[in-house]
Amino acid sequence: MGLFKRNPFGHILFIKKWLIRVFGALTHRRYRGFNELHIEGSEIIRALPDRNVLFISNHQTYFADVVAMFHVFNASLKGREDNIKNVLYLWNPKLNIYYVAAKETMQAGLLPRILSYVGAITVERTWRAGGKDVAEHEKKEVNPNDTENIKIALADGWVITFPQGTTKSFKPVRKGTAHIIKQHKPIVVPIVIDGFRRSFDRKGLRLKKKGILQSFIIKEPLQIDYENETIDEIVEKIEYAIEQHPSFLKVIPTEEIDEMKELDRQRQWNY
């Protein structure tokens, strides 16, 4: 790889590689040490093509979710079986991984700007501003450059997106993701995460609690009829795949909550 070789967005791959190495080494113990990341489905990652893959996931923090994905994807590609043992898997990381992120989030400080260089495709959210939902008449038009950048990223490699566009659970899946799927026909791989909200602060930068068992479940690619399925049908399929459909809502019994707390206490004691 040439020293100044760039990706389609102009980022120097040598710099990107070192950013992934450094931030990966700094964050590794957040998922294997202070907390433990339970992974399922690493064999699915190894079976994927190098390009035109779209990962869809529920969202719990701004940055910790994406960082975990960089760890899991690279560990899986280096032969790790549902684990991220030995961070040397990041010495030669996959460099064509991108993630969709809100422009306002990635411009809020020096660290987000640095993390943006790792692979952010920044988009202007039409339905939120300043962390709040906007009224229907105040929504912005979709920026065509945003969708074009996602197209470029899919043509170059893998793209991670959080189709709800927020870290709040059971919010509606945005139709923009379904439009991207119909238009570009990527392989769509669902991921369901949990435990990140309890482990980290909302931004995913500060470790909030130790001894939490985080889960990272990679599911088989969705079966999608790109030509005949409607946008609403694809949206519903996404909601079920990332376990954010309203039917997943339930009242958790007090006994189950107490049992979860006791498990967390035991894990913390073990660490």
Side-chain angles (χ1 to χ4, degrees):
M1 181 178 69
L3 191 60
F4 297 107
K5 185 177 180 180
R6 299 173 183 265
N7 67 15
F9 300 101
H11 298 148
I12 298 173
L13 294 182
F14 178 77
I15 296 176
K16 180 173 180 175
K17 176 184 285 189
W18 271 101
L19 286 174
I20 294 173
R21 287 173 177 173
V22 171
F23 280 101
L26 291 174
T27 58
H28 187 247
R29 279 179 58 78
R30 291 176 165 226
Y31 309 101
R32 182 173 170 78
F34 298 125
N35 296 298
E36 194 68 19
L37 187 63
H38 171 76
I39 304 165
E40 293 181 18
S42 60
E43 72 282 356
I44 295 171
I45 298 297
R46 291 192 290 274
L48 295 171
D50 190 50
R51 294 176 175 82
N52 205 35
V53 177
L54 182 70
F55 294 92
I56 54 172
S57 176
N58 62 314
H59 203 15
Q60 295 199 337
T61 71
Y62 291 172
F63 298 110
D65 308 4
V66 170
V67 173
M69 291 181 187
F70 271 79
H71 277 289
V72 173
F73 294 172
N74 281 286
S76 299
L77 291 172
K78 294 299 188 298
R80 308 297 194 276
E81 195 62 46
D82 291 341
N83 70 74
I84 55 171
K85 294 177 181 178
N86 189 349
V87 75
L88 285 177
Y89 55 74
L90 286 178
W91 183 250
N92 190 26
K94 182 176 174 63
L95 295 177
N96 57 342
I97 299 176
Y98 303 93
Y99 61 97
V100 179
K103 185 174 292 185
E104 62 180 283
T105 300
M106 303 313 295
Q107 293 179 344
L110 178 61
L111 183 56
R113 290 176 184 272
I114 295 174
L115 291 174
S116 183
Y117 202 94
V118 171
I121 308 167
T122 58
V123 299
E124 293 185 43
R125 292 189 293 190
T126 61
W127 67 95
R128 282 175 72 84
K132 297 180 180 179
D133 290 341
V134 298
E136 191 68 32
H137 68 277
E138 295 177 338
K139 290 183 179 180
K140 305 174 185 176
E141 293 292 326
V142 175
N143 188 335
N145 290 333
D146 294 346
T147 54
E148 180 65 22
N149 286 338
I150 293 173
K151 173 185 176 182
I152 292 170
L154 283 170
D156 186 59
W158 294 358
V159 175
I160 301 162
T161 189
F162 303 98
Q164 292 167 286
T166 177
T167 57
K168 295 180 180 179
S169 299
F170 296 102
K171 287 292 184 179
V173 163
R174 300 292 164 181
K175 292 185 178 181
T177 303
H179 282 287
I180 290 167
I181 291 170
K182 276 189 72 74
Q183 184 175 356
H184 303 303
K185 302 177 176 58
I187 293 174
V188 181
V189 181
I191 294 174
V192 178
I193 62 171
D194 195 22
F196 292 77
R197 188 176 284 115
R198 296 191 295 276
S199 306
F200 304 101
D201 65 352
R202 187 179 180 186
K203 290 185 177 180
L205 298 175
R206 182 176 62 84
L207 188 65
K208 187 169 67 175
K209 191 174 182 180
K210 298 179 181 179
I212 300 297
L213 182 63
Q214 305 155 339
S215 63
F216 191 106
I217 312 302
I218 305 157
K219 298 185 176 183
E220 292 286 349
L222 294 183
Q223 297 297 316
I224 298 173
D225 185 339
Y226 300 104
E227 302 299 334
N228 297 315
E229 287 190 27
T230 67
I231 293 297
D232 287 339
E233 287 172 336
I234 294 175
V235 164
E236 186 177 43
K237 189 169 284 189
I238 292 171
E239 288 176 336
Y240 276 110
I242 64 173
E243 300 181 8
Q244 292 294 298
H245 189 270
S247 64
F248 283 90
L249 280 169
K250 67 174 183 176
V251 178
I252 302 176
T254 304
E255 296 80 7
E256 188 174 334
I257 294 174
D258 291 339
E259 185 178 341
M260 290 168 61
K261 288 181 178 178
E262 176 61 19
L263 283 171
D264 281 344
R265 188 191 67 78
Q266 291 177 9
R267 294 183 190 113
Q268 190 168 12
W269 175 258
N270 289 337
Y271 284 116

